């Protein structure tokens, strides 16, 4: 990738992935020419030769692959970066109204069970509600693990992303936060103890 022109959406997990990839392979950031592009601009930039590569996520990567065909190679590195989705609540909600949080978590556990038991119906619902092509949903479905978890591995990932955001000047200079202080373990532990591996 050294010497190449790479399209990224500034401040996103695509940029974080690119930086992590370059660190792993000891590629200096200044040896890569980075273009800040909107995700919807990336296909044209790649097809027209404005960039040699892009760092993007699903389902956009699948659309670009479909449009440009065999001339495009895709790859990922799950051992380098994994995507997760977090539930965020105010301290008041979590501490004063834990029953509400637990209701949401129980609903998500039911959804997790539904996805396991009825994958075709679940894919259809996601496609309809997200306004996505059912084929796109089917293509990226295997990438996701639909599990409600609070895993210890989340903390070092968040810390690394925070260090990257500080280093990249996406946030004001500061010490890396201690995310353990911001993680509410008890609500999920109450509804499913086995889903929590965070250590305090």
């Amino acid at each position: 990738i050294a010497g190449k022109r790479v399209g990224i959406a500034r401040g996103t997990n695509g940029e974080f992935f690119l930086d992590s990839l370059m660190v792993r392979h000891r590629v200096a950031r200044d040896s890569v020419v980075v273009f800040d592009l909107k995700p919807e601009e990336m296909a044209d930039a790649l097809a027209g030769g404005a960039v040699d590569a892009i760092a993007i996520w699903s389902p956009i990567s699948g659309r670009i692959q479909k449009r440009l065909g065999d001339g495009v190679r895709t790859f990922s590195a799950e051992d380098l970066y994994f995507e997760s989705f977090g539930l965020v609540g105010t301290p008041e909600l979590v501490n004063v109204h834990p029953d509400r949080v637990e209701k949401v978590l129980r609903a998500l556990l039911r959804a997790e069970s539904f996805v396991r038991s009825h994958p075709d119906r679940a894919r259809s619902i996601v496609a309809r509600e997200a306004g996505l092509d059912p084929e796109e949903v089917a293509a990226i479905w295997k990438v996701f693990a639909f599990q409600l978890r609070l895993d210890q591995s989340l903390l070092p990932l968040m810390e690394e992303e925070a260090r990257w955001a500080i280093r990249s000047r996406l946030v004001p200079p500061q010490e890396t936060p201690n995310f353990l202080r911001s993680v509410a373990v008890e609500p999920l532990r109450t509804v499913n103890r086995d889903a929590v591996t965070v250590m305090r």
Side-chain angles (χ1 to χ4, degrees):
I1 201 172
K4 302 295 185 183
R5 298 162 300 166
V6 183
I8 55 103
R10 179 83 169 135
T12 65
N13 59 352
E15 184 181 12
F16 175 73
F17 175 79
L18 176 65
D19 280 4
S20 300
L21 189 69
M22 291 193 296
V23 168
R24 168 178 283 184
H25 294 285
R26 299 180 182 179
V27 176
R29 178 69 188 254
D30 60 6
S31 72
V32 175
V33 181
V34 175
F35 290 84
D36 184 9
L37 300 173
K38 296 176 181 175
E40 59 269 21
E41 298 172 336
M42 291 189 177
D44 287 340
L46 196 57
V51 295
D52 303 302
I54 56 173
I56 194 63
W57 51 87
S58 296
I60 299 168
S61 57
R63 292 175 193 161
I64 293 173
Q65 177 79 54
K66 188 174 181 180
R67 175 179 162 185
L68 302 183
D70 295 337
V72 175
R73 282 188 2 209
T74 61
F75 73 95
S76 60
E78 287 82 4
D79 62 322
L80 181 64
Y81 174 77
F82 67 90
E83 189 174 18
S84 63
F85 299 86
L87 289 175
V88 180
T90 63
E92 179 187 15
L93 175 65
V94 174
N95 298 322
V96 181
H97 302 287
D99 55 318
R100 297 179 187 176
V101 177
E102 289 169 19
K103 284 181 182 178
V104 171
L105 295 174
R106 289 184 199 283
L108 288 171
L109 285 171
R110 287 196 300 274
E112 179 185 318
S113 177
F114 180 85
V115 168
R116 264 196 317 271
S117 303
H118 308 284
D120 293 339
R121 286 177 60 195
R123 282 194 296 270
S124 176
I125 292 168
V126 168
R128 184 184 71 234
E129 295 299 321
L132 295 173
D133 184 316
E135 288 185 14
E136 284 184 340
V137 174
I140 65 174
W141 197 258
K142 62 183 178 295
V143 173
F144 296 98
F146 298 98
Q147 296 178 321
L148 182 62
R149 298 287 181 269
L150 191 48
D151 193 82
Q152 181 67 28
S153 62
L154 180 64
L155 295 173
L157 175 63
M158 290 170 68
E159 290 167 2
E160 181 55 34
E161 287 181 331
R163 284 191 290 271
W164 167 77
I166 295 165
R167 190 172 58 247
S168 301
R169 298 183 179 151
L170 295 170
V171 297
Q174 59 190 281
E175 292 294 317
T176 303
N178 180 350
F179 289 106
L180 187 58
R181 296 178 187 149
S182 304
V183 174
V185 172
E186 287 310 314
L188 184 55
R189 185 175 281 160
T190 299
V191 300
N192 184 5
R193 177 171 290 275
D194 293 339
V196 178
T197 61
V198 169
M199 296 177 289
R200 285 195 177 276

